[in-house]
Amino acid sequence: MALHWFSPVVPVRTEKVGITLGVSNVEAAAEELMKWPEKGPKWNKAVQLCIDCFEDRASPQDVQKAFEEAAKEQGMLRSL
């Protein structure tokens, strides 16, 4: 299966102190979302858009925007 790429990357905090991950595709965004301890409304939207993208009902850019908003909501967003 091909990855669903988006740009720009979304930099997020990881469980390793001081390490930032640049998420650049829907598959990586979905994987990261599943690791987050908090699951608010923007997290729910991002997860649903990942599923929708896998089923060709949303674009990778839709996921990128939702993932960034979820990262902000959860305090996971970092700057590059």
Side-chain angles (χ1 to χ4, degrees):
M1 174 175 31
L3 296 178
H4 298 84
W5 297 100
F6 55 72
S7 182
V9 301
V10 179
V12 294
R13 182 168 50 98
T14 66
E15 60 269 355
K16 296 180 181 177
V17 176
I19 302 296
T20 299
L21 175 65
V23 176
S24 61
N25 62 72
V26 176
E27 291 75 10
E31 186 176 328
E32 285 304 305
L33 286 163
M34 294 300 111
K35 295 177 185 177
W36 295 357
E38 302 287 324
K39 295 171 176 56
K42 292 184 181 180
W43 180 91
N44 288 323
K45 180 179 179 181
V47 169
Q48 184 59 57
L49 279 170
C50 287
I51 293 166
D52 290 347
C53 186
F54 295 145
E55 296 177 353
D56 294 324
R57 294 190 310 248
S59 73
Q61 290 71 34
D62 294 334
V63 174
Q64 184 268 341
K65 290 174 190 168
F67 181 68
E68 186 172 344
E69 288 298 315
K72 282 181 193 174
E73 177 183 65
Q74 300 303 320
M76 300 296 283
L77 188 65
R78 291 270 174 98
S79 57
L80 289 176

